[in-house]
Amino acid sequence: MSYGNMRDALKQYSQVKVRSGVEGATPHRLIQMLMEGALEKMQLAKANLERGNKAEKARHIDWALSIIDGLQSSLDMEKGGQIAANLDALYDYMQRQLVMANLDNDVAKLDEVSNLLLEIKTAWDAVPAVLKQQEAAGAQAATAAVNHAAAG
């Protein structure tokens, strides 16, 4: 198998892997995947900028912008309240910074947006554990209430 064929096969495998990962993913995991994708695209943009490949830098920044736009449009402003409003403003800021990073070839702006998104992702990654703790605390409270009622 030639290098080109191997590269094409790996690309196809990667696409199948991503597709199957998306099909079985929870909504929480889909958001994680989007954040991971945006972070990866910003890293690729930075690497291409550092190598002087401005066309590839721009392509990866555009891709990151699209992903962040998807994250922003997935916000439920009604249910999310102030948190959703804050994220909406932050995603808007990130998009503006990425546009400026692209226009100015500014690595610092790419790093800033990456760091902001990483902070959001870290909090998002912690959500299942927090929910599990709250669920356990709620179950303990319910058990205590039942035991108290049975004793009384």
Side-chain angles (χ1 to χ4, degrees):
M1 180 182 282
S2 74
Y3 175 74
N5 290 341
M6 186 176 1
R7 190 178 62 213
D8 290 344
L10 286 171
K11 185 175 180 183
Q12 288 174 353
Y13 170 76
S14 178
Q15 290 172 347
V16 168
K17 183 179 169 189
V18 168
R19 202 170 324 142
S20 64
V22 167
E23 288 170 359
T26 65
H28 183 268
R29 180 65 188 130
L30 289 172
I31 297 297
Q32 284 177 312
M33 292 170 73
L34 287 171
M35 290 181 188
E36 290 164 3
L39 288 166
E40 178 185 351
K41 294 303 171 192
M42 285 184 277
Q43 286 303 102
L44 290 168
K46 180 179 175 179
N48 279 288
L49 178 57
E50 290 171 344
R51 283 194 298 267
N53 189 341
K54 292 180 182 176
E56 280 300 298
K57 172 228 32 168
R59 190 172 74 83
H60 290 292
I61 287 176
D62 285 345
W63 203 334
L65 281 164
S66 294
I67 294 170
I68 292 171
D69 183 59
L71 289 167
Q72 186 175 26
S73 66
S74 74
L75 293 171
D76 187 333
M77 301 306 282
E78 196 172 300
K79 291 181 183 175
Q82 190 60 46
I83 292 172
N86 291 345
L87 284 171
D88 183 57
L90 193 54
Y91 288 145
D92 187 59
Y93 174 78
M94 288 180 190
Q95 290 174 327
R96 287 188 315 239
Q97 290 300 95
L98 285 175
V99 168
M100 294 309 297
N102 195 19
L103 291 173
D104 298 339
N105 295 312
D106 191 338
V107 171
K109 282 184 174 57
L110 281 171
D111 287 340
E112 177 189 11
V113 175
S114 291
N115 290 333
L116 288 170
L117 188 57
L118 189 57
E119 283 186 47
I120 295 169
K121 185 181 178 311
T122 299
W124 188 254
D125 290 346
V127 166
V130 170
L131 291 176
K132 196 172 193 177
Q133 288 174 343
Q134 288 175 346
E135 187 178 290
Q140 287 175 347
T143 301
V146 168
N147 288 341
H148 181 69

